[in-house]
């Protein structure tokens, strides 16, 4: 295994190295070691790496290095735009960008959907050099002509696969066309490079990109210990969850559930046990979500109960445990859920509760991870559920016997044909069908 390089060996500006040292960053991760030299050289990049690998700095550092070393295309337009699929991820990226802007004479702004449009217009009129945004809201500003991207020299798409899955392809193309400077550099990051739509849009937006893939989405995360528990029913799940929380030496925990109702019910039960839990789900407005996330980041709450709304974009170092109370519907979401712990070299623990309703999802995750998973058991909480048998193919009765007798030619007795009374002399009886009446005999 190749040893990670020091940031000072990657040719970055000394002012950036000073900020990195201030925050204790010295050695580059694999994605940073491979992506930064390519981006600093001015080449387009199509890269993938597993969650928690440090990819944000892999594009923020070369973007800032370029701004420090080259002249801007325009005095008023932003120099770089970073697009992220969700508000939570955009806020995380913006936070890391602000950290690296310390001591530099550059401004940045955050443009998110669900927040005051006019306040964002005012921020854009101050001509920030860097914009972190969700694609839908940035496209709105382009349409209202409160933003122009003619002078953008770097366009960055973080988690491009997620943006495309959320249906943002039209907005991405609109932003691409608005920032179509012939010398623009484009950096695209995706959880996987096997995503057909990612490759299609990469052909449109990138110019002869360098492709980098660090690990695979289904590769084992060595910093995370994963365990699975079989559960008979909801009460059994809750009993196992309570035992885990009683015995685990955790700092902070994220519990993933299938529905908003489950998040609220579990949060109430945990708070009754004085465990300091808070619920986060998609029905909350942006102010409520911001408040909850701020409190969790500051460790006001020890446990966050949430749906998949928080499976991406959360980067909280103190999250030591992730618990899948319900298995995710989509296998890729399992990787992103688990990736909320064990970040940036820290160790983490992921536990999944598998009941009869979770079985199909569990089998898909097992196939996705390409591992044979063994189940753990807690003393006194061993259940009766052992898994479900694979569904048998839908074979019509008599098909198997019929196949065995194919070599035997035997005349089968014909059964009487069951007449369909909706037909008259083999003609469908409908509005357009004329059925002649029998003539009465003449007297």
């Amino acid at each position: 295994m190749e040893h990670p390089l020091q940031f000072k060996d990657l040719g970055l500006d000394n002012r950036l190295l000073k900020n990195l040292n201030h925050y204790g960053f010295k050695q580059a991760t694999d994605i940073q070691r491979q992506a930064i030299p390519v981006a600093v050289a001015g080449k387009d990049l199509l890269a993938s790496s597993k969650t928690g690998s440090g990819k944000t700095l892999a594009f923020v550092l070369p973007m800032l290095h370029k701004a420090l070393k080259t002249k801007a295309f325009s005095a008023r337009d932003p120099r770089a735009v970073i697009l992220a699929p969700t508000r939570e991820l955009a806020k995380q990226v913006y936070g890391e960008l602000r950290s690296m802007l310390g001591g530099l004479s550059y401004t940045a702004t955050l443009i998110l959907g669900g927040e005051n449009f006019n306040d964002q217009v005012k921020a854009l009129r101050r001509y920030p050099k860097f914009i972190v945004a969700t694609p839908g809201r940035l496209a709105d500003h382009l349409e209202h002509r409160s933003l122009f991207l003619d002078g953008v020299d770097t366009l960055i798409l973080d988690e491009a696969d997620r943006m495309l899955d959320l249906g943002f392809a039209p907005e991405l193309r609109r932003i691409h066309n608005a920032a179509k400077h012939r010398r623009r550099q484009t950096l695209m990051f995706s959880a996987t490079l096997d995503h057909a739509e990612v490759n299609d849009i990469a052909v449109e937006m990138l110019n002869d990109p360098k492709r980098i893939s660090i690990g695979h989405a289904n590769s084992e995360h060595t910093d995370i210990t994963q365990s699975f528990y079989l559960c008979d029913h909801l009460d059994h799940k809750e009993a196992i969850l309570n035992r885990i929380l009683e015995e685990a030496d955790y700092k902070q925990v994220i519990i993933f559930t299938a529905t908003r109702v489950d998040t609220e019910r579990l949060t109430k039960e945990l708070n009754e046990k004085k465990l300091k839990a808070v619920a986060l789900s998609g029905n909350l407005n942006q102010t409520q979500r911001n408040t909850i996330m701020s409190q969790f980041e500051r460790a006001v709450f020890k446990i966050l109960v949430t749906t998949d709304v928080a499976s991406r974009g959360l980067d909280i170092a103190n999250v030591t445990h992730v618990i899948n109370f319900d298995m995710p519907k989509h296998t890729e979401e399992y990787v992103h859920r688990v990736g909320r712990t064990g970040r940036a070299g820290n160790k983490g623990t992921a536990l999944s509760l598998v009941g009869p309703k979770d079985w199909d999802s569990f089998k898909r995750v097992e196939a996705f991870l390409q591992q044979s998973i063994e189940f753990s058991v807690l003393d006194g909480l061993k259940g009766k559920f052992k898994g479900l048998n694979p569904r048998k193919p839908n074979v019509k009765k008599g098909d198997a016997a019929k196949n065995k007798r194919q070599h035997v030619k035997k005349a089968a007795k014909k059964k009487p044909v069951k007449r369909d009374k909706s037909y008259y002399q083999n003609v469908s009886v409908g509005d357009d069908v004329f059925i002649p009446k029998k003539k009465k005999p003449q007297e």
Side-chain angles (χ1 to χ4, degrees), residues 347-365:
K347 299 296 181 181
T349 301
L351 308 106
S352 300
L353 311 186
V354 182
K357 291 182 179 179
D358 302 292
W359 187 253
D360 288 344
S361 297
F362 164 74
K363 294 304 289 183
R364 287 194 293 269
V365 167

Side-chain angles (χ1 to χ4, degrees), residues 13 33 46 215 265 270 288 335 339 350 415 426-428 437:
D13 188 278
R33 176 174 54 81
L46 179 58
R265 178 181 54 78
L270 293 171
Q288 292 170 319
V335 177
K415 293 182 180 180
N426 292 329
V427 178
S428 176
K437 294 181 180 178

Side-chain angles (χ1 to χ4, degrees), residues 10 17 57 77 92 105 107 152 175 192 206 209 224 250 271 291 324 329 411:
L10 296 176
L17 295 176
L57 285 180
D77 296 343
Q92 293 287 345
S105 58
T107 56
V152 167
I175 294 165
T192 175
L206 276 64
I224 301 174
Y250 63 84
N271 281 321
T291 301
N324 290 310
K329 292 181 180 179

Side-chain angles (χ1 to χ4, degrees), residues 140-161:
D140 290 341
H141 282 287
L142 288 174
E143 185 177 346
H144 286 80
R145 300 180 67 80
S146 50
L147 171 69
F148 296 92
L149 302 179
D150 304 283
V152 167
D153 58 39
T154 308
L155 177 63
I156 299 167
L157 289 81
D158 191 12
E159 294 200 6
D161 56 329

Side-chain angles (χ1 to χ4, degrees), residues 130-188:
F130 304 103
I131 294 176
V132 181
T134 48
R137 178 50 64 91
L138 196 72
D140 290 341
H141 282 287
L142 288 174
E143 185 177 346
H144 286 80
R145 300 180 67 80
S146 50
L147 171 69
F148 296 92
L149 302 179
D150 304 283
V152 167
D153 58 39
T154 308
L155 177 63
I156 299 167
L157 289 81
D158 191 12
E159 294 200 6
D161 56 329
R162 181 66 166 163
M163 286 192 278
L164 294 169
D165 289 342
L166 291 172
F168 284 126
E171 288 79 4
L172 294 181
R173 288 187 170 94
R174 196 177 310 160
I175 294 165
H176 163 64
N177 290 327
K180 211 166 185 177
H181 194 288
R182 63 182 181 84
R183 289 170 54 198
R184 187 195 81 198
Q185 181 183 19
T186 308
L187 310 177
M188 184 181 291

Side-chain angles (χ1 to χ4, degrees), residues 180-315:
K180 211 166 185 177
H181 194 288
R182 63 182 181 84
R183 289 170 54 198
R184 187 195 81 198
Q185 181 183 19
T186 308
L187 310 177
M188 184 181 291
F189 288 76
S190 171
T192 175
L193 299 184
D194 298 328
H195 193 293
E197 205 172 354
V198 167
N199 283 283
D200 289 343
I201 207 161
V203 171
E204 295 180 42
M205 300 177 64
L206 276 64
N207 179 29
D208 190 24
K210 170 73 173 178
R211 297 172 70 95
I212 295 174
S213 180
I214 306 296
H216 300 283
N218 60 354
S219 61
E220 185 177 0
H221 200 312
T222 55
D223 292 329
I224 301 174
T225 302
Q226 302 179 56
S227 301
F228 295 80
Y229 299 85
L230 287 171
C231 307
D232 293 342
H233 41 64
L234 182 60
D235 290 341
H236 192 197
K237 271 192 177 185
E238 292 186 358
I240 291 177
L241 174 65
N242 290 331
R243 177 73 68 80
I244 289 170
L245 294 175
E246 287 171 6
E247 296 181 352
D249 182 18
Y250 63 84
K251 291 182 179 178
Q252 285 184 287
V253 182
I254 299 178
I255 301 173
F256 287 100
T257 66
T259 66
R260 172 177 56 85
V261 175
D262 290 330
T263 65
E264 294 172 351
R265 178 181 54 78
L266 272 181
T267 302
K268 183 179 178 181
E269 293 176 3
L270 293 171
N271 281 321
E272 288 173 354
K273 295 180 174 65
K274 310 296 183 185
L275 291 179
K276 292 186 178 180
V278 65
L280 178 69
S281 58
N283 68 315
L284 301 175
N285 63 42
Q286 189 57 39
T287 301
Q288 292 170 319
R289 291 169 73 176
N290 290 345
T291 301
I292 289 170
M293 290 312 306
S294 174
Q295 291 173 329
F296 188 63
E297 288 173 6
R298 290 184 285 112
V300 174
F301 295 98
K302 295 291 186 182
I303 301 172
L304 176 70
V305 188
T306 181
T307 56
D308 278 329
V309 70
S311 66
R312 301 184 186 219
L314 291 183
D315 190 4

